[in-house]
């Protein structure tokens, strides 16, 4: 029964993740192309985008936690129920940390927390790739399709990093707009940034589609 509920939650979180991405992208597009909207209103909507982005972060933590618990309970990784409980505990702490990073992002400690958050994501990506290619857990009874899923999950996370790198131009330009007011030139930068970030997002969705196909087909 526990396995069935965890599997259902694992599937539901995927829908939660995709839904959050759609809301973020559609709202960001509206903000980017609303040149005639008063800037304070655009800024308010952009702040809403940053709040909704938290749901993507929650989904990532939940997917990693639920995936680890399921792998342990199915016997794909050693540890069984002990590892599953540990994954759940770490997931709860991780969710609390992600929330703290968001709430304290404007505080003096914000940059330090954000740096720790980024480092933890890079470490998780490296671990996923290491497991996928057998550098870690090469002797575990993990099917090849699951190792491919882990590799694709790492690719999804890499796309998330790519989107944030693409948005550096947005935040720099947005600060100029907040100080001096929007111009045709700054609005053009915002629109170009939206297009670049969306292109990476489409690749992210492609990787998620691949994860879904492997989860259902289990071809290898």
């Amino acid at each position: 029964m526990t396995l069935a509920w965890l599997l259902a939650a694992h599937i539901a979180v995927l829908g939660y993740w995709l839904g959050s991405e759609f809301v973020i992208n559609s709202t960001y597009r509206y903000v980017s192309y609303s040149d005639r909207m008063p800037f304070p209103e655009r800024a308010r909507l952009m702040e809403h985008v940053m709040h909704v982005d938290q749901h993507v972060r929650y989904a990532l933590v939940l997917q990693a936690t639920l995936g680890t618990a399921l792998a342990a309970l199915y016997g794909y990784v050693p540890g069984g129920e002990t590892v599953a409980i540990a994954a759940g505990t770490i997931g709860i702490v991780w969710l609390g940390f992600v929330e703290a990073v968001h709430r304290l992002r404007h505080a003096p400690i914000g940059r330090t927390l954000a740096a720790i958050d980024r480092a933890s994501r890079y470490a998780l990506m490296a671990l996923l790739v290491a497991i996928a290619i057998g550098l870690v857990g090469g002797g575990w009874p993990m099917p090849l399709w699951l190792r491919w899923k882990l590799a694709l999950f790492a690719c999804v996370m890499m796309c998330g990093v790519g989107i944030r790198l693409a948005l550096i131009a947005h935040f720099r330009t947005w600060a100029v707009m907040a100080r001096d007011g929007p111009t045709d030139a700054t609005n053009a930068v915002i629109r170009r940034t939206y297009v670049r970030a969306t292109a990476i997002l489409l690749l992210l969705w492609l990787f998620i589609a691949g994860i879904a196909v492997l989860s259902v087909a289990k071809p290898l």
Side-chain angles (χ1 to χ4, degrees):
M1 181 64 72
T2 301
L3 270 173
W5 280 108
L6 288 176
L7 186 58
H10 195 48
I11 296 170
V13 168
L14 184 60
Y16 168 52
W17 190 341
L18 288 173
S20 300
E21 294 279 15
F22 278 120
V23 171
I24 292 168
N25 185 260
S26 61
T27 308
Y28 182 36
R29 184 185 190 285
Y30 182 70
V31 171
S32 299
Y33 286 86
S34 296
D35 299 0
R36 297 183 180 180
M37 181 186 295
F39 186 77
E41 181 65 12
R42 293 176 76 186
R44 187 185 68 82
L45 287 173
M46 196 63 216
E47 187 66 17
H48 174 68
V49 170
M50 299 307 298
H51 285 303
V52 177
D53 186 62
Q54 276 297 98
H55 293 285
V56 173
R57 295 170 182 265
Y58 300 151
L60 187 151
V61 174
L62 290 171
Q63 283 291 76
T65 301
L66 290 167
T68 301
L70 284 167
L73 293 175
Y74 275 114
Y76 296 145
V77 301
E81 187 174 335
T82 301
V83 169
I85 294 173
T89 303
I90 292 172
I92 292 171
V93 174
W94 192 1
L95 283 171
F97 175 71
V98 166
E99 183 66 16
V101 171
H102 178 64
R103 291 183 178 272
L104 298 174
R105 66 190 186 282
H106 298 308
I109 198 175
R111 288 192 175 184
T112 301
L113 292 176
I116 295 172
D117 183 47
R118 287 193 299 272
S120 68
R121 292 167 188 272
Y122 296 148
L124 178 56
M125 284 188 285
L127 178 61
L128 289 170
V129 171
I131 295 175
I133 64 178
L135 290 179
V136 174
W140 294 346
M142 183 179 290
L144 188 56
W145 64 264
L146 183 53
R147 292 187 186 274
W148 274 105
K149 273 188 63 175
L150 297 181
L152 289 177
F153 190 42
C155 290
V156 168
M157 295 182 66
M158 289 176 193
C159 285
V161 172
I163 290 171
R164 278 159 179 75
L165 291 176
L167 290 176
I168 290 175
H170 163 89
F171 290 113
R172 288 176 177 170
T173 305
W174 200 257
V176 172
M177 294 168 74
R179 186 185 67 238
D180 302 331
T183 64
D184 289 343
T186 54
N187 280 322
V189 172
I190 295 298
R191 289 193 295 269
R192 286 197 300 270
T193 304
Y194 165 79
V195 172
R196 285 197 294 269
T198 300
I200 301 173
L201 179 62
L202 291 174
L203 183 60
L204 183 152
W205 286 339
L206 184 62
F207 287 134
I208 289 181
I211 290 173
V213 169
L214 286 172
S215 298
V216 174
K218 299 180 176 60
L220 303 170

